Amino acid sequence: MRYGGGMRAWVAHGFGPPESLRFEEVADPSLADGQVRIDVKSIGVNFPDVLLVAGGYQVKPTPPFVPGFEVAGTVLESRVGALPVGSRVAAVLGMGGYATQVVAPRDAVWRIPDAMSFDEAAAMTITYQTGWFALHRRAHLQQGETLLVHAGAGGVGSAAIQLGKAAGARVLATAGGADKVALCRTLGADLAVDYKSEDFVGVVKAATSGRGADVIFDPVGGEVLERSTKCIAFEGRILIIGFTSGRAPEIRANHVLVKNYALLGLHWGLYHQLEPASVTRAQEELYRLYVEGRIKPMVSERLPLAEAPGAMARVAGRGTVGKIVLVPSFS
């Protein structure tokens, strides 16, 4: 049942690990023109949530604050004519998502397809937008190219596998353990490698007749990215998505020159700040692919909002597959 006593949220009163958060009653957020108030039905858990609470994200808020970047639910109150009360929507927030209610501006809220569940909607904004902008806006992935996706069983990796296949690429993936490797194949990967027992560099070279991958999608960083430079193709593109390994890589500039490849950074949040219209176009394209059955968010677990710190800790430890969602009204 929904938590009683008014709006509740997980609040960070300082920077620290997920267990430092406090679940408490908070004031309802005020509503301004051009905004909607959303009754939250589902919340996506992301690795950046952990970084935000730890004080290691690109943006460092002043405590106290509520973490959480993506939600789905129904509109409770609206000052946007195109989004009347009762609309089923998904929203991306600057923060504040780990709560029973949120307020969001019009350009960060989208109606979801009728056939899409709230859980799927909460799982198909940040990771899928990240994958879409990385593959299409930054790397310009082409049909027939070879795409290597690291951490393919994770939230952003699973999205990249599906989006790569939807774009007509040949998709190779890495993951840790037999179960995660099997999941990558289920998601559509043409070849999946267990990096715990195999050298992905050798496998990629063998699978591409020595050429290497045209595009490499890397949310891990550290040694994974350093080794990726050994299996990138001539004029290939390496996408730097994040550093879940906990270490930024060391890349030799002369090696970039010798092999004629490009290192491309992807700060997903900048598109929301600088080009919100492009984000809406991307989200509409993602919904189209979903309706056509070409992509589908993989929600692996559905947990009560009260279990948020534990869910965050597991995501931080890379012990999850797909996407965990938190549900304020759990049943």
Side-chain angles (χ1 to χ4, degrees), residues 78-167:
S78 176
R79 294 190 183 177
V80 177
L83 296 171
V85 172
S87 299
R88 300 174 72 249
V89 297
V92 169
L93 313 165
M95 67 186 74
Y98 284 23
T100 55
Q101 288 184 23
V102 301
V103 164
R106 173 68 183 94
D107 61 8
V109 181
W110 306 279
R111 285 179 178 268
I112 65 177
D114 292 340
M116 179 177 280
S117 70
F118 288 121
D119 290 352
E120 289 178 321
M124 211 178 89
T125 52
I126 291 177
T127 54
Y128 280 82
Q129 286 181 16
T130 297
W132 194 93
F133 277 103
L135 297 178
H136 294 289
R137 182 69 177 263
R138 300 295 285 138
H140 301 288
L141 179 69
Q142 301 298 306
Q143 183 174 357
E145 287 191 312
T146 297
L147 167 67
L148 172 61
V149 177
H150 288 305
V156 71
S158 62
I161 289 174
Q162 293 183 350
L163 290 169
K165 291 301 295 181

Side-chain angles (χ1 to χ4, degrees), residues 6-324:
M7 177 176 163
R8 293 179 66 82
W10 283 100
V11 182
H13 290 273
F15 296 117
E19 55 267 27
S20 66
L21 293 169
R22 300 180 193 170
F23 194 43
E24 56 195 36
E25 188 169 340
V26 298
D28 291 347
S30 59
L31 189 70
D33 289 341
Q35 295 181 330
V36 296
R37 187 186 310 278
I38 300 170
D39 180 33
V40 176
K41 304 294 186 183
S42 187
I43 304 157
V45 180
N46 296 284
F47 183 68
D49 300 344
V50 180
L51 295 178
L52 188 77
V53 171
Y57 193 55
Q58 294 100 325
V59 177
K60 185 174 291 188
T62 300
F65 63 88
V66 176
F69 296 111
E70 61 183 344
V71 302
T74 55
V75 175
L76 278 176
E77 186 179 357
S78 176
R79 294 190 183 177
V80 177
L83 296 171
V85 172
S87 299
R88 300 174 72 249
V89 297
V92 169
L93 313 165
M95 67 186 74
Y98 284 23
T100 55
Q101 288 184 23
V102 301
V103 164
R106 173 68 183 94
D107 61 8
V109 181
W110 306 279
R111 285 179 178 268
I112 65 177
D114 292 340
M116 179 177 280
S117 70
F118 288 121
D119 290 352
E120 289 178 321
M124 211 178 89
T125 52
I126 291 177
T127 54
Y128 280 82
Q129 286 181 16
T130 297
W132 194 93
F133 277 103
L135 297 178
H136 294 289
R137 182 69 177 263
R138 300 295 285 138
H140 301 288
L141 179 69
Q142 301 298 306
Q143 183 174 357
E145 287 191 312
T146 297
L147 167 67
L148 172 61
V149 177
H150 288 305
V156 71
S158 62
I161 289 174
Q162 293 183 350
L163 290 169
K165 291 301 295 181
R170 181 192 185 197
V171 179
L172 316 180
T174 68
D179 291 344
K180 291 185 177 181
V181 165
L183 177 60
C184 290
R185 296 193 184 104
T186 299
L187 290 166
D190 298 285
L191 177 67
V193 182
D194 183 352
Y195 65 77
K196 292 184 177 180
S197 60
E198 297 180 86
D199 174 17
F200 73 81
V201 173
V203 174
V204 171
K205 285 184 175 180
T208 58
S209 300
R211 171 179 167 78
D214 299 293
V215 176
I216 298 179
F217 182 96
D218 180 28
V220 181
E223 183 183 6
V224 169
L225 196 149
E226 291 162 1
R227 291 189 56 72
S228 293
T229 64
K230 300 180 182 299
C231 60
I232 186 68
F234 170 73
E235 291 194 332
R237 293 87 78 198
I238 299 178
L239 289 157
I240 302 173
I241 308 301
F243 311 111
T244 59
S245 66
R247 182 173 72 84
E250 297 179 5
I251 303 296
R252 291 177 291 125
N254 65 316
H255 192 263
V256 177
L257 180 148
V258 167
K259 293 190 69 175
N260 278 30
Y261 63 87
L263 296 170
L264 303 172
L266 189 282
H267 181 184
W268 158 84
L270 283 180
Y271 289 101
H272 284 263
Q273 296 176 32
L274 303 177
E275 294 187 17
S278 70
V279 177
T280 293
R281 289 193 296 270
Q283 193 64 34
E284 290 172 349
E285 173 66 7
L286 292 172
Y287 287 153
R288 182 184 68 81
L289 292 171
Y290 173 87
V291 170
E292 292 176 355
R294 299 170 70 186
I295 63 174
K296 183 178 177 62
M298 190 189 70
V299 177
S300 59
E301 293 183 72
R302 186 174 189 261
L303 301 174
L305 178 57
E307 297 182 16
M312 293 170 67
R314 289 175 54 205
V315 168
R318 298 168 65 184
T320 61
V321 297
K323 198 68 173 275
I324 295 178

